Amino acid sequence: RFENNLVTSAAGQGGAVYYTSTPISEPLTAHFSRCVFVGNSAPNQGGAAWLYRVNATFFGCLFDSNDTAIGEGPAIAFGEGAHRVVNCTIVGNTSGGAATNGAIGPVV
């Protein structure tokens, strides 16, 4: 359970989970199963989770009431890598504005 986590840096990403690897030729792997992400916030991207250059799977997770100020992926924001979101419930996540790259939605 990831609840009420807050990123305080103005450029911050990943309210509850921030996961990145370099280089892309050797990506990390992350599996989240039956997790609850509720009330997490990041000003920039990924209110609940931000994953970059990671092969990530979310299975049976709940994303509820997570937030971003800019508007990119208030639930999850992904960058490079192979990602799967399977049988998850994504509800009530909000973004406070337009994303710089035009990508707005609960999962980007």
Side-chain angles (χ1 to χ4, degrees):
R1 185 171 182 96
F2 300 86
E3 186 172 0
N4 297 325
N5 295 287
L6 171 66
V7 174
T8 57
S9 165
Q13 300 160 318
V17 174
Y18 176 97
Y19 205 18
T20 185
S21 82
T22 303
I24 188 59
S25 61
E26 298 176 24
L28 297 172
T29 300
H31 298 282
F32 298 89
S33 181
R34 299 178 59 173
C35 295
V36 174
F37 295 87
V38 64
N40 301 291
S41 182
N44 195 356
Q45 299 175 341
W50 185 82
L51 300 104
Y52 181 71
R53 294 185 172 166
V54 176
N55 295 332
T57 300
F58 290 88
F59 180 79
C61 296
L62 169 65
F63 294 87
D64 185 9
S65 303
N66 300 289
D67 176 73
T68 59
I70 291 177
E72 297 179 37
I76 310 168
F78 292 116
E80 298 179 17
H83 317 295
R84 294 181 343 146
V85 178
V86 181
N87 293 331
C88 292
T89 301
I90 301 172
V91 62
N93 300 282
T94 59
S95 42
T100 55
N101 67 2
I104 299 174
V107 177
V108 176

